[in-house]
Amino acid sequence: MAVNWLPFIGCLSIAFGPSVTLFLCTAAKEAQGVILLITSAFFWLLSLLLTSLVWLAVVPLRKHLALTLVFSVLFQEALRVVFVLLVKKTDVALSRISRETTDLFHGPRYSVIAGLGYGVMSAMFMYVNVLSEASGPGTYYTPGSPSMPIFVSGALQASVMTGLHVCWGLLCSEGLEKRSWPLLASVTLSHMLVSCLTLMNEAGISPIYAIVCSYLILAVIGTFTFKRFGGNIKPFFKIQ
Amino acid sequence: MSGIRMSSVAVTAENCENGEPQAPEESHQGQANIPEIVEPEDDDAEEQEMLKYGAKHVMMLIVPVSLCMIIVIFAIRIITMYDQVSQPQVYLVYTPFNDQTKKTTGSPISDAVLNMLIVLGLVIFMTCVLVLLYKYRCYKVIEGWLFLSSLILLFMFTGLNLHEIVMRFNFAMDYITISLIVWNFGVMGIISVHWKGPLIVQQGYLLIISAMMALVFIKYLPEWTLWFILGGIAVYDLFAVLCPKGPLRILVETAEERNEPIFPSLIYSSTMMWTITMAEGDPVSSYNPLNSSSSSSAQGSPPARPQPEMEPEEQGVKLGLGDFIFYSVLVGKAATADDWNTVMACFVAILIGLCLTLLILAIVKKALPALPISIFVGIIFYVCTRWCIKPMCDQMALSQVYV
Amino acid sequence: MLPFFYVLITSAYSNTLNDNIYTSIDFGRDYCFRLNNFNSQIGCQTSRDGDSGILLQLHSAEDIENTLKDLEEPFIAVLDASIFNNITALKLKQHSKTRGLLLIENEESKVDSFSPEKTCPGNGFNYLENVTDVDVSAPHQSQCIRKQLWNPKGNWLSYDDFPFGIFLIKSKSQKEIILSKAQANIENYSLKPYPLWGGEVRSFMKSAQNTETCIRRGTCDPLGGYNVHVNLIPRDEESKKPIILLIAKTDSTAFFKELSFGEQDSGVSTAVLLAVIKALSKVRDENDDLKADIMITFLQGESFDYSGSQRLAYQLNPLMNDTLQLRSFSLTIDDIMCVIELGPISTLKDLYLYPAKSNGMTKKIEEFFASYNSSNIQFHAVEPGTPLPPSSIHSFLRENEAIPCILLTDGHDNIQSNVFGSRYDTLNNNENLVSRVKDLSEIIAKVTVQLSNGTGASHAEVPESLVSEVLDCFLVNLNCTLLRRIGNQFNSTANLPNSTLSRYSGVRNSFAVYLRNISLDFSMKDLSKIVPSVEKCNATYTQNWAPIIVNDTCFGYVVNSSSATSPAFKLKDYSSTKYSTWTESRWSPNFRIMGSCCSRQKKSRKGKVVYEYDKVPDSFHSPDSQNKANQQLHIQHISERDVVSQDLLPDDQENGTMFLRRITMDEGSLRRSLKNRHRGKGSLSSDRGSPSTPCQLQKANSCSTIFIDDNTVSQPNLRATLKCVSLAIYYHIKNRDKESEFVDILDEKRHPLTKQPVPSDYARNDPPNNYIYRFIKNLFVSAQLTAECAIISLIYIERLLVCADICLQPSNWKRIVLGAILLASKVWDDQAVWNVDYCQILKDMVVEDVNELERVFLELIQFNINVQQSAYAKYYFDLRSIAEQHGLTLPIDTLDKKRAKKLEARSQNEEYDKLAEMVESGPVKAISLENLSKRRPSAAVIS
Amino acid sequence: MNLRRASPEEKINVCRKYFLAGLPLLPWVWIVNVLWFWREATKPDHIPEVRKYVMYSAIGALAYLTVFGTWVGVYQSQRVAWGALGDRISIFVPDGEP
């Protein structure tokens, strides 16, 4: 098949550009960061595996993605919690070994990395097969969107999912640290919400709505997280 | 295939802290290369440091392993030779039971098992030969053998793959040009691998060699046989490294007795060692592909090497090239199925397996087989993704549902 | 566990995104492909990875003009097949953005005048009496003879070279898909950037430029197929009966590979000729004495510059070293009394007789035909001087002008059909076609008999039912009663395709096999008179008939086939302008609709599958298309092709045994064998040597007792073989045609074998037979060589004679024979005799001399020392035949266990193994014939 | 080996050997040599020997590459014109093109 690169590269950079940047800023710096990333990705994979097993075993589920989706979200969040706890345990163990408290897997940065791993993995599994088709001469339009090919909408969705996962990762660890259940609940709920929004695509409504909504949610959650971790916008606007 | 050995970074650590010149060779030698005798009274600081260093070395392995796997994946996706069966399909001599040769025992499974047994037998035999050669200090023989096979690999397989690429992209290529390219590539490889060269070039060649080896396996082994061999090799590795009478274990121990480093040929070192004969692992396997497991086992090289130049930072985690190969084989096989999910699942699974192995290494501090965990996790995830996850993901992708 | 597995498997096949984007459409074989000849490439070509563009429906030439004026994106034109002609094709070809062309075939819109052929078919390869006949001013430099446009409708479309793929769409579902998409495009073509429907066309032809290039690169294969020759009775070489040759072209051109019906072009004439066979064999069965031999030949590859007839004429030419080795005899062009060709026949009303050169013979033929004028068939003799229409006759004339030829066709000064060479060339319902064909064939049969005997045969008739069956097979559907019946009676497992026959000859086709089957069935002769029992229905007993047992009666037939590829490929002259040089490219086609929004066809994408095709060479040359995907078949295909040329066509071998021909040149042997024939009339074989054997003749082989002599193909008897070989050499020397220039080392005077001086007339008088025998025997006995050696050395000798173009003559035979035996012993024996030992054997011969001799010998035969099984067997059986002619056969008695062990007739099971693998490899239709032709050797083991 | 800790003699030795190795049609070796020793050759306290060999290697590599480049250009443009010869010297001839 004749490959046409432009759409392929465009979609690729839309979908994974942000996450790659984030990766370079955070994880790439030190080794344990990368290890953490891989591990969290693996955990997401586990969650998907569980989902798919349920999806297979319970035959009627295969017709209704909605149910599958609910399961999936629950599994993901559960495993995220497990993962965060696990990381904490190792961290504690390690810091007990080492006298001075150079915490290896501690602090927001690692939460970001963990969330990133989650997000990248989910984005990949949801989108890469679509992307590989983008290199072919043909395009695909969902009934809902006669004007926006699935490649573009998918790319946008994938990127926003990554961003959300980062935020969720942060919030989740925070919630576990502070033992604040509402936070955890809010994470799960927002995740559920976003995923359910994408059900509109299946229903035949233009994906634009879903995408716009998810970006709005991302903005909200993003700012919330930002504030929560005592971020401060000043430096951005400060003129050097 | 003694996968990973971590040099006693304890010593390393303190050495580089107080950057004093290194200890006398022998003791250093021993500590440097025989993980088993890391002093128990390492204090916490060193442990702490070790973790940091450990992480660093893990990175230094993860990067090349991923690179190797990525090379293989793209080779398979771009050069279509590997995923589609050529007609007539040719197989390695060591797998006599296949659909091509008439002698087949009904079911593919039994064929595969038989092939696997043959291959494993060969591997074990080769390993034993190598161990014996090492035991009786026939360094020259080993050297010559490795040199010869590396020669074959670097020239023949390079030419073969080039030809495939040319065919794939359907452009004219003449003998002169192609021979010049192969000549340049091969000679540089020989020089950097057997003599001296920039670290980056050495490592690059190691990666490419492993990738080519993996591609050869994927191409020339029957489907089922390949899977069984993967499993079998992993098991054998476990046995060979851990069992007290395992050949590789014996190898390690002889090396200790002689108080000389198990010479790092066939081993990818995360940092530069004085590897005069580094990375001939593959050559062996190429020379006799089924041998790759044993090849990637740590083997003896002439201890004649400039000892005094041993440097603290030059200790590192080492990974047999055989492990590179078989990781890549697994991932490459996944890539032949026209589905990226499977590929990524295997990729992540293998890396996780590697990390896990390294973690265990950090805890038990002795030479460990690198294959078993990764391969088994990889296979499990291959199967699951292929048959469970992919259908679901396809459905989701079609109806654009994101979870 | 099980249900879980079940779940896994079922869920494995979900439809992926790819299946939703691409709907791959398999066109079978209805697409245009690429052919090459000496200077050009014609047909279609897409880029290697396929060309994609938007689907664009176009309705007319003007429409094309207007639509394409301002079109900047690449497109794939969707055209109604009826408006695809040279104008539209040219327009599309000129447009830079054309990426493909899909032709929608509609049954109702049938074109009645469309001929993509040349205006003068076969131009450049026609026979021109003098150069002034050529008209260079004619379009396309076509060498029309005296400005005679034989096919004025011709628009040369088939000979155009298109840079894009052209597909023909016939199936309803495919039409619907494509048309609906194209329609959708038209609707929202205005409102960009709305996505449009696109398609990807892939039919990548591997060959390029011209035949020379593509043969060199092995990307194409010569066109041709097989000529089928039918003789009524086995020709006996000695009685130089003239031969009446009835020929007809059986193939037709194809723009789309599978769509070449050519019914008016060649269909009817083929059917007529088949009927003629039936009629004539009736005549033969009634009265056994035809003054002339009659040979009916079906020619293939005629539509591509007469490759078939060119090959035949070339083979008939004795000077060319490619004699037409029919089963038991060979032909030369001098034996031919006249050639009668059936040209294109559509309306069997008025038929015109074109004499090549009007002379007595042609006059006679015209008279004969005229005498059969009746109300429904009129024969007209064209006035002398009318140019001869394009026909196979031209090739014969180019070889030898003297042959009286006559063409029988219904076109008067131009071809009758308006659709010559197009896929519309089907028979428009001709009323009472059957009866007309019947009449015509009977007339032709009668004329032929009349030609041979002078008197017309009253009882040359064909049952009408048979004619209709034949027509049904060749014009309507291949899966017809006749072919099925024949298939059953030859117990072949052939499954006939349920479609109209495609007459495109291609590289190899099953058409020749059908023809051969049918004509075999028509011309079979019941041999139960001469063969004592069915068990003895084998080569030895049936004289020159090829034996075949059909429901427990022994029949004989003389049906041969020979390759119809042009002589250019035999001469390896790929840029020849004398002979046809057409080759067919190898390729890998594919088409898919893409950019779908809601198409849910669950079709697997052909891309991958097809891509594998072009790894497999010429997968599309396999005769039955349902096997396309089965690559195992194609792998054996190549190798199997030459197996075919050797076993299915025993006559097509490079190394025919020369000595048989030499012998037949010999009057003495002629007389003897004639005498023998009288004696051995109705006996087992042509002759049993001593007259005291008739009692033996009654011995019959049965399952329990087998009569056999000590001489089998696997274990030849030394003495007998040596006798035969020496005989062969004897005749070689006796009937040498010229005194060849001498090769020094082979000359006996220069290099004497013995001390005693060579007689001065050593070069003149021929050595007697027994002298030769003694010479050879001496060598063999003292060197302890086996009989196989003798046969092989004979093969080498003849190779030498051919390669070095010399003759065995008194001056050189000894040394040649010596060299051959030397070589044979070294090739055959595991521990060979050394040259020194030869010096021991023939004294006073120096080893250097022997070495030199060996070296020269090898050089002369171009180091080609390997001997085909088939060649060996051929020589063996021919040697046997001379043995029988000269009464050298061994006494036969019953085969007991130990003799059987000794003989170890393993050739038989070997044959069957070969047969078995033929069955799984080759085209199934060929198998029935394999059966027939392969019985022979194995049967001969028990002689 | 690590240049930082290599002794000057060794540097010279290696650089020289690389240069010699590059002579039999091995521009790639020379390129590696140049890249490897570039810093060595350009730093203020460089060893003149090393610099010399690096320069030689650079020049030689350039020369070889130009020669190869021209050959490839000639071949690609003239292959069709050469006909049978062109095919004979080709390890692979593209399908479907003259």
Side-chain angles (χ1 to χ4, degrees), chain B residues 163 166-167 169-178 180 183-185 187-189 191-192 195-199 201-202 205 272-274 309 311 313-314, chain D residues 1-2 4-6 10 13-15 17-18 21 24-29 32 36 68 71-72 75-76 79 87-97:
Chain B
H163 187 224
V166 168
M167 271 165 68
F169 295 105
N170 197 35
F171 63 83
M173 174 65 84
D174 59 322
Y175 283 104
I176 300 169
T177 316
I178 205 163
L180 277 174
W183 169 243
N184 273 274
F185 181 81
V187 171
M188 188 61 226
I191 290 176
S192 67
W195 189 53
K196 297 173 180 176
L199 177 63
V201 175
Q202 270 180 355
Y205 268 102
M272 163 121 55
M273 306 250 324
W274 287 113
E309 302 187 26
E311 286 282 335
E313 297 106 37
E314 287 163 353
Chain D
M1 64 180 273
N2 192 335
R4 272 189 287 109
R5 270 183 309 284
E10 180 160 17
N13 175 25
V14 171
C15 191
K17 289 220 172 104
Y18 261 75
L25 292 177
L26 287 170
W28 174 230
V29 174
V32 171
W36 194 14
F68 293 170
W71 161 251
V72 170
Y75 167 77
Q76 294 292 354
R79 180 178 57 80
D87 284 6
R88 212 173 299 115
I89 64 170
S90 303
I91 193 170
F92 176 77
V93 182
D95 295 329
E97 301 167 18

Side-chain angles (χ1 to χ4, degrees), chain C residues 45 204-206 208-209 216-217, chain D residues 83-84 87 93 95-98:
Chain C
Q45 169 73 299
F204 177 58
M205 302 291 157
K206 293 192 155 194
Q209 214 170 0
R216 191 174 64 224
R217 297 177 185 168
Chain D
D87 284 6
V93 182
D95 295 329
E97 301 167 18

Side-chain angles (χ1 to χ4, degrees), chain A residues 31-32 34-35 38-39 42 45-46 48-49 51-53 55-56 62-63 65 68-69 72 76 94 97-98 100 102 121 124-130 132 140 142 150 153-154 157-158 161 191 195 198-199 201-202 207, chain B residues 43-45 47-49 51-52 54-59 62 77 168 338-342 344-346 348-349 351-352 355 377 380-381 384-385 387-403:
Chain A
Q32 58 265 51
V34 178
I35 299 170
I38 296 170
T39 326
F42 182 72
L45 193 56
L46 278 179
L48 191 67
L49 178 58
T51 321
S52 66
L53 285 178
W55 181 75
L56 271 178
R62 272 182 243 162
K63 301 291 150 300
L65 276 175
T68 323
L69 182 141
S72 153
Q76 287 184 50
L94 295 181
I97 290 171
S98 59
E100 81 265 20
T102 52
M121 204 59 185
M124 282 203 172
F125 262 75
M126 289 298 131
Y127 184 58
V128 166
N129 273 335
V130 179
S132 69
Y140 183 75
T142 47
I150 190 171
S153 55
Q157 194 71 48
M161 284 313 264
H191 190 176
S195 299
T198 58
L199 280 174
N201 307 343
E202 193 193 19
Chain B
D43 55 328
D44 302 349
E47 282 287 355
Q48 160 67 31
E49 285 303 328
L51 282 165
K52 277 234 161 48
K56 187 158 130 271
H57 291 310
V58 172
M59 260 320 282
I62 284 181
R77 301 299 290 171
R168 167 67 183 82
D338 189 3
D339 165 33
W340 286 98
N341 287 354
T342 320
M344 283 177 326
C346 292
V348 172
L351 287 187
I352 279 296
C355 295
V377 178
I380 290 168
F381 269 87
C384 295
T385 319
W387 307 117
C388 318
I389 297 181
K390 182 178 183 298
M392 188 179 74
C393 283
D394 283 338
Q395 201 180 346
M396 286 184 169
L398 271 181
S399 48
Q400 288 219 277
V401 172
Y402 284 77
V403 292

Side-chain angles (χ1 to χ4, degrees), chain C residues 311 314-315 321-323 565-574 652-654:
Chain C
R311 183 62 180 273
Y314 180 82
Q315 286 171 321
N321 141 43
D322 175 29
T323 47
T565 49
S566 141
F569 297 100
K570 179 140 183 58
L571 297 168
K572 303 219 177 328
D573 172 12
Y574 303 122
D652 196 23
Q653 279 184 12
E654 303 302 316

Side-chain angles (χ1 to χ4, degrees), chain A residues 7-82:
Chain A
F8 177 77
I9 292 171
C11 294
L12 185 70
S13 40
I14 293 176
F16 299 109
S19 33
V20 168
T21 325
L22 197 53
F23 170 78
L24 293 177
C25 299
T26 57
K29 280 206 178 60
E30 71 222 306
Q32 58 265 51
V34 178
I35 299 170
L36 193 68
L37 187 86
I38 296 170
T39 326
S40 70
F42 182 72
F43 268 80
W44 187 87
L45 193 56
L46 278 179
S47 76
L48 191 67
L49 178 58
L50 292 177
T51 321
S52 66
L53 285 178
V54 173
W55 181 75
L56 271 178
V58 190
V59 178
L61 218 59
R62 272 182 243 162
K63 301 291 150 300
H64 314 296
L65 276 175
L67 284 173
T68 323
L69 182 141
V70 172
F71 273 106
S72 153
V73 170
L74 293 180
F75 278 128
Q76 287 184 50
E77 291 310 322
L79 274 162
R80 191 201 301 273
V81 170
V82 173

